[in-house]
Amino acid sequence: MARSRSSRRAAASVEAVVEPVDGGLAELIPDRERARAWTLLIDGAPQSHVDLDDPAHLSFEYQRRLGHVIDLVAPPGKPVHAVHLGGGALTLARYTAATRPRSTQQVVERDAALVQLVRRELPLDPNARIRVRSTDAREGLGKVLDGWADLVIADVFSGARTPAHLTSTEFLDEVRRALKPGGLYAANLADGPPLAHLRGQIATAAARFEHLALIADPTVLRSKRFGNAVLVASDTPLPIAELTRKAAGDPHPGRVEHGRALLDFTGGATPVTDASAVASPAPPPSVFR
């Protein structure tokens, strides 16, 4: 439906919200095309996009791909138990609540000041069953009951890098403990040429899960540029055909790799342990220009 001129003028008149949070300088920038939509930036790096009038709208490419996983974790509309490691503007928790009413969700976001900002400026639906904990992602995951979650999503960045302790086999042991049999794990990974971090994360997941898939822009997979890739893992077969169809239908189509081709993509990379883990690489400055 076309937006009216008056609603576009109202959106344009809204001012940005800028204030320091624990992780840096947070900015909430109004979307000039959507009356009650905002983009969250931390130290200039885009983190989340939220449309309060349409929480099922996912603007960022990687969030749409995580949305595909949410769509396929259970039959359409069925409530689920979901754990979100990394909250940002709570975009994916809002999406789950909108598309799967009566879902029960736990969000773990270390930045307590950011959580307060988001709750104040971008309030949650009071009927959504979303609990937010302000603690370290791995510590918060450790408090999830054994076998509670249908879905665990890891989307944690500190200074635009995934912390080292969220990249290891020991971390994935905690993920598996929290998941129900047949549950899905999905992680937003960021890397660039030569993709050593991404290859290592696939090898790490393969050491703990039998079934894997990777969704990414083909240019990222060809090591042509820095970008995001969504890794999906489970102890039961994944809905590869459905993931492939959804990824191909995106405004920026993605490719799905799985099976032998995905394992070959690792190029002999070995699983990461707590003893060998390092943070993901920092994106080049040009990524955010």
Side-chain angles (χ1 to χ4, degrees), residues 77-82 96-97 99-105 128-130:
K78 181 181 178 180
V80 297
H81 289 174
T96 305
T99 59
R100 297 184 175 279
R102 303 183 308 284
S103 291
T104 303
Q105 302 184 73
R129 301 176 181 178
I130 300 172

Side-chain angles (χ1 to χ4, degrees), residues 14-147:
V14 176
E15 296 295 328
V17 179
V18 182
E19 63 183 66
V21 294
D22 300 338
L25 186 67
E27 300 173 80
L28 287 173
I29 308 298
D31 186 329
R32 303 306 181 189
E33 297 300 318
R34 290 175 170 261
R36 298 180 68 227
W38 302 78
T39 298
L40 169 67
L41 290 78
I42 304 292
D43 288 340
Q47 301 289 325
S48 305
H49 179 278
V50 167
D51 187 336
L52 296 178
D53 289 333
D54 182 11
H57 173 76
L58 298 176
S59 178
F60 286 8
E61 179 181 292
Y62 85 87
Q63 289 183 330
R64 285 197 303 275
R65 288 170 184 162
L66 288 169
H68 301 332
V69 179
I70 296 169
D71 292 344
L72 296 171
V73 71
K78 181 181 178 180
V80 297
H81 289 174
V83 177
H84 303 265
L85 305 179
L90 309 177
T91 304
L92 293 171
R94 298 172 200 266
Y95 179 86
T96 305
T99 59
R100 297 184 175 279
R102 303 183 308 284
S103 291
T104 303
Q105 302 184 73
Q106 299 184 40
V107 178
V108 185
E109 171 54 62
R110 183 171 188 168
D111 195 326
L114 176 61
V115 171
Q116 292 177 357
L117 170 65
V118 169
R119 282 188 178 278
R120 186 185 75 231
E121 300 293 336
L122 309 175
L124 287 166
D125 180 345
N127 295 317
R129 301 176 181 178
I130 300 172
R131 178 183 180 184
V132 184
R133 288 179 172 150
S134 295
T135 188
D136 173 76
R138 190 155 157 182
E139 180 180 337
L141 178 63
K143 295 179 180 178
V144 176
L145 295 176
D146 292 3

Side-chain angles (χ1 to χ4, degrees):
M1 180 180 296
R3 293 268 316 279
S4 69
R5 289 184 179 179
S6 60
S7 63
R8 286 196 296 268
R9 283 197 299 269
S13 67
V14 176
E15 296 295 328
V17 179
V18 182
E19 63 183 66
V21 294
D22 300 338
L25 186 67
E27 300 173 80
L28 287 173
I29 308 298
D31 186 329
R32 303 306 181 189
E33 297 300 318
R34 290 175 170 261
R36 298 180 68 227
W38 302 78
T39 298
L40 169 67
L41 290 78
I42 304 292
D43 288 340
Q47 301 289 325
S48 305
H49 179 278
V50 167
D51 187 336
L52 296 178
D53 289 333
D54 182 11
H57 173 76
L58 298 176
S59 178
F60 286 8
E61 179 181 292
Y62 85 87
Q63 289 183 330
R64 285 197 303 275
R65 288 170 184 162
L66 288 169
H68 301 332
V69 179
I70 296 169
D71 292 344
L72 296 171
V73 71
K78 181 181 178 180
V80 297
H81 289 174
V83 177
H84 303 265
L85 305 179
L90 309 177
T91 304
L92 293 171
R94 298 172 200 266
Y95 179 86
T96 305
T99 59
R100 297 184 175 279
R102 303 183 308 284
S103 291
T104 303
Q105 302 184 73
Q106 299 184 40
V107 178
V108 185
E109 171 54 62
R110 183 171 188 168
D111 195 326
L114 176 61
V115 171
Q116 292 177 357
L117 170 65
V118 169
R119 282 188 178 278
R120 186 185 75 231
E121 300 293 336
L122 309 175
L124 287 166
D125 180 345
N127 295 317
R129 301 176 181 178
I130 300 172
R131 178 183 180 184
V132 184
R133 288 179 172 150
S134 295
T135 188
D136 173 76
R138 190 155 157 182
E139 180 180 337
L141 178 63
K143 295 179 180 178
V144 176
L145 295 176
D146 292 3
W148 182 84
D150 297 289
L151 173 67
V152 174
I153 294 178
D155 183 19
V156 184
F157 288 86
S158 177
R161 304 177 70 184
T162 301
H165 68 298
L166 304 181
T167 67
S168 67
T169 52
E170 291 91 340
F171 165 67
L172 291 184
D173 287 336
E174 277 295 294
V175 171
R176 288 210 59 167
R177 179 197 59 75
L179 280 173
K180 296 177 182 178
L184 298 185
Y185 169 64
N188 176 31
L189 307 174
D191 199 8
L195 300 180
H197 173 72
L198 181 58
R199 298 179 203 278
Q201 286 303 285
I202 297 167
T204 304
R208 291 298 184 266
F209 292 94
E210 184 176 355
H211 301 276
L212 305 178
L214 188 75
I215 314 169
D217 186 295
T219 59
V220 173
L221 293 177
R222 292 197 300 268
S223 199
K224 297 295 185 181
R225 67 173 179 86
F226 194 98
N228 295 82
V230 169
L231 178 64
V232 189
S234 180
D235 59 4
T236 59
L238 295 168
I240 297 298
E242 293 88 346
L243 277 175
T244 300
R245 177 177 56 79
K246 284 179 173 288
D250 275 339
H252 299 283
R255 194 169 84 204
V256 176
E257 292 286 0
H258 63 99
R260 173 51 57 186
L262 183 56
L263 294 180
D264 289 345
F265 176 78
T266 66
T270 57
V272 175
T273 66
D274 278 347
S276 62
V278 296
S280 67
S286 60
V287 168
F288 304 127
R289 287 177 186 167

